[in-house]
Amino acid sequence: MKTLNLGILAHVDAGKTSLTERLLHDVGVTDRLGSVDAGSTRTDSLALERQRGITIRSAVVSFVLDDVTVNLIDTPGHPDFIAEVERVLGVLDGAVLVISAVEGIQPQTRLLMRTLRRLRIPTLIFVNKVDRAGADPERVVRAVAEKLSPAVVAMGSVAIPGTRAARCSPYGPADEAFTDRLLDVLAGQDDGLLADWVANPSAVPYPRLRGALATRTRQALVQPVYAGSAITGAGVDALLAGITELLPTAQGDVDAPLSGTVFAIERGPAGERIALVRLFAGTIRVRDRVRVGTADAALVTAIRVATLGADVVASSVGAGHIARLWGVTEARIGDPVGVPPERAGADRHFPPPTLETVVVPERPVDRVTLHAALSQLAEQDPLINLRQDDRHHEISVSLYGEVQKEVIQATLADDFGVRVTFRETSVVHVERVCGVGGAVEVIAVAPNPFLATVGLRIAPAPPGAGVSFHLGVELGSMPPAFFAAVEESVRRTLRQGLSGWEIPDCEVTMTHAGYWARQSHSHGSFDKSMSSTAGDFRNLTPLVLMAALTRAGTRVHEPVHRFRLEVPGDVLGTLLPALTRLDAVPTDTVGRGTSYVVRGEIPAGLVHALERRLPALTRGEGVLETEFVRYRPVSGVAPTRARWDNNPLDRKEYLLAVARRVGGR
Ligand SMILES: Nc1nc2c(ncn2[C@@H]2O[C@H](COP(=O)(O)OP(=O)(O)OP(=O)(O)O)[C@@H](O)[C@H]2O)c(=O)[nH]1
Ligand SMILES: [Mg+2]
């Protein structure tokens, strides 16, 4: 049977979970329609999700549609949980982007659509909540064409929107405006179609247009727009038909070498680690040994596959499917399974968290439990980037926002019995390399205390380029394990630059390499004191890299958000000076009837303060949208960050010697 791995994505509260529930009901998996408001849906299964009525973790449910098994992944819409969306993007064959017919396009919608188009994920758009007062599906469809994608086609009309009786009817061959729109969008992408139509319009029959629509949708070049209501069920039959007609099913050869991605980690009832894997090629059987990430091959002890709403034990799973695997205890999110798939799992599509906070246990004796609990949370959400400061042993985490913070607090209390408070939230900065710098330490030459020669040159790279590691020496000049140790160490060290912030983008070249081969005394036995080990390279690399970095220099940058603020015209006079006090820089102000739209940039650290002051500044009428755009150099004194635990950089005598040499040149 064919498989379709389908993500449901949207801004918060658009109705993703309600739609998932409606689809499960309408295809016959459930006989009672679950409700977010009653806390009875299949996918919002965490106690916290049910209490709050929001989705926190992505969840997979399955159903069969015609001859296709659909694995539906319901994702959270709140921007604080964007990391959950990021992790599933790499495993989707298609997506449904939900937009509320009342609230319309939100900044999160724009971000998601941009990402879906960039990744070329075939997408259907569903304008939901047509039954709710204030629903205006036609306005939303126009806005979608203007702001999200020029290549959208409305697939039906809505009668009496804004009422419980709202009804949706799909367009057909007799709807001339619809066929004209199809031609318009499709002919722009298909010269053959255009030529045939120009020669003789009747030579382009409706089925050909539908076929072209399916082809272009599968290529993610066109996005069909449906409308309906997850609550009343209006329009959902047409959406289901669109899912089978227009979205592609998973491709993949079950006999090819194994290739897949770990996109989530869960803990089983006994605390065991379970990896959720999407297979792109090959087959995994129970008792197979599979290689996951960089760990040694592990024995798969059990497999479960989602079918028809339930998770069932399976003896094997093949390409195209999603499965839960037991036994792969070292698996981490983003790890490849077998041969790394073309669509890498660990790619970043959204900005990283820009806030961090220290987590403090209410009872000091809980410190160890807290560390263990947060380590488990970090397995499921690596971007919280758990770390412990070197000196005070304080534990900090990275965050997207206040809601995520509350969720962490509640999870620690409910699931681990640890009550915590947080220090004030601070902003995560980054460091950018200013120039080019190099350093080298030669084996057995003071002050180098290690049996290794390492030379490194560091140079700037454009924002978003990431860290690249190059060899400026012969690959054959050292055993591969030593090169691997240097590269791994370089990447680890760059997580804390000269001021303690991560260096996300730079080019590092290894300019010198040398080692002592296994040597023995006259007795003929291996002598560790005379033979290089990977440990020598791991220890020396951070020291050389930091010396190179000191020469290159770094500058601390702060995250900046773009904002759009809609306010009544008469408050502008008090608002603009208040924005300036918040370090916000308005770039343009445009009148819209009696209101104004102010756009500009504001440091990420002050967004929360602006949100708090907004009601007072705008009589409660201001509407603020913000979105991370870039990092900018900090003006004035740059903040520094304490070093974390297990940092190899505490060899003070060595550092002092290097500092003297760097300073002296
Ligand atoms: N009237 C109406 N209400 C809806 C519809 N769909 C969802 N809702 C309501 O909107 C609220 C949010 O619905 P959810 O399904 O939780 O939305 P979501 O997109 O999953 O939200 P997050 O996962 O938290 O981002 C709930 O109160 C739903 O009952 C709809 O079609 N019509
Ligand atoms: Mg939800």
Side-chain angles (χ1 to χ4, degrees), residues 388-413:
Q388 186 158 319
D389 126 19
D390 229 5
R391 220 177 311 149
H392 305 105
H393 304 291
E394 286 181 334
I395 302 171
S396 24
V397 290
S398 298
L399 294 169
Y400 278 101
E402 297 297 317
V403 175
Q404 188 188 8
K405 194 157 105 176
E406 287 167 26
V407 164
I408 290 178
Q409 188 172 38
T411 309
L412 288 170

Short mmCIF file of all heavy atoms in Angstrom, two decimals, residues 388-413:
data_model
loop_
_atom_site.label_atom_id
_atom_site.label_comp_id
_atom_site.label_asym_id
_atom_site.label_seq_id
_atom_site.Cartn_x
_atom_site.Cartn_y
_atom_site.Cartn_z
N GLN A 388 25.51 23.80 31.80
CA GLN A 388 25.75 24.10 33.21
C GLN A 388 26.97 24.98 33.29
O GLN A 388 27.99 24.70 32.67
CB GLN A 388 26.00 22.78 33.94
CG GLN A 388 26.11 22.97 35.43
CD GLN A 388 25.82 21.66 36.15
OE1 GLN A 388 24.91 20.93 35.79
NE2 GLN A 388 26.60 21.34 37.14
N ASP A 389 26.87 26.06 34.03
CA ASP A 389 28.01 26.98 34.06
C ASP A 389 29.11 26.41 34.94
O ASP A 389 28.89 25.71 35.90
CB ASP A 389 27.46 28.37 34.39
CG ASP A 389 28.10 29.09 35.57
OD1 ASP A 389 29.19 28.73 35.98
OD2 ASP A 389 27.46 30.05 36.02
N ASP A 390 30.31 26.71 34.49
CA ASP A 390 31.52 26.11 35.02
C ASP A 390 31.73 26.36 36.50
O ASP A 390 32.12 25.48 37.24
CB ASP A 390 32.67 26.79 34.27
CG ASP A 390 33.63 25.80 33.75
OD1 ASP A 390 33.35 24.61 33.88
OD2 ASP A 390 34.66 26.23 33.21
N ARG A 391 31.45 27.60 36.91
CA ARG A 391 31.84 27.98 38.24
C ARG A 391 30.74 27.75 39.27
O ARG A 391 30.94 27.15 40.30
CB ARG A 391 32.26 29.45 38.24
CG ARG A 391 33.48 29.62 39.13
CD ARG A 391 34.02 31.01 39.14
NE ARG A 391 34.22 31.62 37.85
CZ ARG A 391 34.09 32.93 37.66
NH1 ARG A 391 33.74 33.72 38.66
NH2 ARG A 391 34.32 33.45 36.48
N HIS A 392 29.52 28.22 38.95
CA HIS A 392 28.46 28.14 39.96
C HIS A 392 27.58 26.92 39.77
O HIS A 392 26.67 26.68 40.54
CB HIS A 392 27.59 29.41 39.90
CG HIS A 392 28.40 30.66 40.04
ND1 HIS A 392 28.67 31.48 38.97
CD2 HIS A 392 29.02 31.20 41.10
CE1 HIS A 392 29.42 32.49 39.38
NE2 HIS A 392 29.65 32.33 40.67
N HIS A 393 27.85 26.15 38.71
CA HIS A 393 27.07 24.96 38.39
C HIS A 393 25.60 25.27 38.22
O HIS A 393 24.73 24.47 38.53
CB HIS A 393 27.28 23.86 39.44
CG HIS A 393 28.73 23.52 39.57
ND1 HIS A 393 29.43 22.89 38.57
CD2 HIS A 393 29.61 23.79 40.53
CE1 HIS A 393 30.70 22.78 38.93
NE2 HIS A 393 30.84 23.32 40.12
N GLU A 394 25.30 26.46 37.73
CA GLU A 394 23.90 26.80 37.45
C GLU A 394 23.51 26.22 36.09
O GLU A 394 24.33 26.18 35.17
CB GLU A 394 23.73 28.32 37.40
CG GLU A 394 23.78 28.92 38.77
CD GLU A 394 23.59 30.43 38.71
OE1 GLU A 394 23.90 31.03 37.67
OE2 GLU A 394 23.13 30.98 39.71
N ILE A 395 22.24 25.81 35.99
CA ILE A 395 21.79 25.17 34.76
C ILE A 395 20.99 26.18 33.95
O ILE A 395 20.05 26.79 34.46
CB ILE A 395 20.89 23.96 35.09
CG1 ILE A 395 21.66 22.97 35.97
CG2 ILE A 395 20.39 23.28 33.83
CD1 ILE A 395 20.82 21.87 36.54
N SER A 396 21.37 26.35 32.65
CA SER A 396 20.53 27.23 31.83
C SER A 396 20.02 26.54 30.59
O SER A 396 20.58 25.53 30.14
CB SER A 396 21.22 28.54 31.45
OG SER A 396 22.59 28.41 31.48
N VAL A 397 18.93 27.08 30.05
CA VAL A 397 18.33 26.56 28.82
C VAL A 397 18.04 27.73 27.89
O VAL A 397 17.85 28.85 28.34
CB VAL A 397 17.00 25.81 29.10
CG1 VAL A 397 17.23 24.51 29.81
CG2 VAL A 397 16.01 26.68 29.86
N SER A 398 18.00 27.42 26.58
CA SER A 398 17.61 28.42 25.58
C SER A 398 16.12 28.31 25.34
O SER A 398 15.56 27.21 25.43
CB SER A 398 18.33 28.17 24.26
OG SER A 398 19.71 28.28 24.45
N LEU A 399 15.49 29.41 25.00
CA LEU A 399 14.04 29.44 24.88
C LEU A 399 13.59 30.32 23.72
O LEU A 399 14.28 31.26 23.37
CB LEU A 399 13.43 30.08 26.13
CG LEU A 399 13.57 29.40 27.46
CD1 LEU A 399 13.12 30.36 28.54
CD2 LEU A 399 12.72 28.15 27.47
N TYR A 400 12.40 30.01 23.20
CA TYR A 400 11.78 30.90 22.23
C TYR A 400 10.91 31.94 22.91
O TYR A 400 10.70 33.01 22.37
CB TYR A 400 10.93 30.10 21.23
CG TYR A 400 11.75 29.49 20.13
CD1 TYR A 400 12.10 28.16 20.16
CD2 TYR A 400 12.19 30.27 19.07
CE1 TYR A 400 12.86 27.61 19.14
CE2 TYR A 400 12.95 29.73 18.05
CZ TYR A 400 13.28 28.40 18.09
OH TYR A 400 14.03 27.86 17.07
N GLY A 401 10.36 31.62 24.10
CA GLY A 401 9.48 32.62 24.72
C GLY A 401 8.90 32.16 26.03
O GLY A 401 9.24 31.10 26.56
N GLU A 402 8.01 33.01 26.55
CA GLU A 402 7.49 32.82 27.90
C GLU A 402 6.58 31.59 28.01
O GLU A 402 6.53 30.94 29.05
CB GLU A 402 6.71 34.07 28.33
CG GLU A 402 7.57 35.33 28.41
CD GLU A 402 8.68 35.24 29.45
OE1 GLU A 402 8.41 34.75 30.56
OE2 GLU A 402 9.82 35.64 29.16
N VAL A 403 5.84 31.27 26.94
CA VAL A 403 4.93 30.12 27.02
C VAL A 403 5.75 28.83 27.13
O VAL A 403 5.43 27.94 27.92
CB VAL A 403 3.99 30.08 25.79
CG1 VAL A 403 3.14 28.82 25.81
CG2 VAL A 403 3.10 31.32 25.78
N GLN A 404 6.83 28.77 26.36
CA GLN A 404 7.69 27.59 26.43
C GLN A 404 8.26 27.45 27.85
O GLN A 404 8.37 26.34 28.39
CB GLN A 404 8.81 27.72 25.41
CG GLN A 404 9.63 26.45 25.28
CD GLN A 404 10.86 26.66 24.40
OE1 GLN A 404 11.18 27.77 24.01
NE2 GLN A 404 11.55 25.57 24.12
N LYS A 405 8.59 28.58 28.47
CA LYS A 405 9.13 28.57 29.82
C LYS A 405 8.10 27.99 30.80
O LYS A 405 8.43 27.13 31.62
CB LYS A 405 9.47 30.01 30.20
CG LYS A 405 10.33 30.16 31.41
CD LYS A 405 11.05 31.49 31.37
CE LYS A 405 10.42 32.47 32.33
NZ LYS A 405 11.17 33.73 32.38
N GLU A 406 6.86 28.44 30.68
CA GLU A 406 5.81 27.92 31.56
C GLU A 406 5.61 26.42 31.34
O GLU A 406 5.36 25.68 32.29
CB GLU A 406 4.48 28.63 31.27
CG GLU A 406 4.43 30.05 31.78
CD GLU A 406 3.23 30.81 31.19
OE1 GLU A 406 2.23 30.15 30.84
OE2 GLU A 406 3.33 32.04 31.09
N VAL A 407 5.73 26.00 30.08
CA VAL A 407 5.53 24.58 29.78
C VAL A 407 6.65 23.75 30.41
O VAL A 407 6.42 22.68 30.99
CB VAL A 407 5.43 24.35 28.26
CG1 VAL A 407 5.61 22.90 27.89
CG2 VAL A 407 4.09 24.87 27.75
N ILE A 408 7.88 24.25 30.33
CA ILE A 408 9.01 23.54 30.94
C ILE A 408 8.77 23.44 32.46
O ILE A 408 8.94 22.38 33.07
CB ILE A 408 10.34 24.25 30.63
CG1 ILE A 408 10.67 24.08 29.14
CG2 ILE A 408 11.48 23.71 31.49
CD1 ILE A 408 11.93 24.78 28.68
N GLN A 409 8.34 24.54 33.04
CA GLN A 409 8.11 24.56 34.49
C GLN A 409 7.04 23.54 34.88
O GLN A 409 7.23 22.76 35.82
CB GLN A 409 7.65 25.97 34.88
CG GLN A 409 7.56 26.19 36.36
CD GLN A 409 7.29 27.66 36.67
OE1 GLN A 409 6.54 28.32 35.95
NE2 GLN A 409 7.90 28.16 37.72
N ALA A 410 5.93 23.52 34.13
CA ALA A 410 4.85 22.60 34.46
C ALA A 410 5.27 21.15 34.23
O ALA A 410 4.94 20.25 35.01
CB ALA A 410 3.62 22.93 33.61
N THR A 411 6.03 20.89 33.15
CA THR A 411 6.48 19.53 32.87
C THR A 411 7.41 19.02 33.97
O THR A 411 7.32 17.88 34.41
CB THR A 411 7.20 19.48 31.50
OG1 THR A 411 6.38 20.10 30.54
CG2 THR A 411 7.51 18.06 31.08
N LEU A 412 8.33 19.90 34.42
CA LEU A 412 9.26 19.49 35.48
C LEU A 412 8.48 19.16 36.75
O LEU A 412 8.79 18.17 37.44
CB LEU A 412 10.28 20.60 35.75
CG LEU A 412 11.33 20.82 34.66
CD1 LEU A 412 12.12 22.09 34.93
CD2 LEU A 412 12.26 19.61 34.57
N ALA A 413 7.44 19.94 37.05
CA ALA A 413 6.67 19.69 38.27
C ALA A 413 5.82 18.43 38.13
O ALA A 413 5.85 17.54 39.00
CB ALA A 413 5.78 20.90 38.57
#
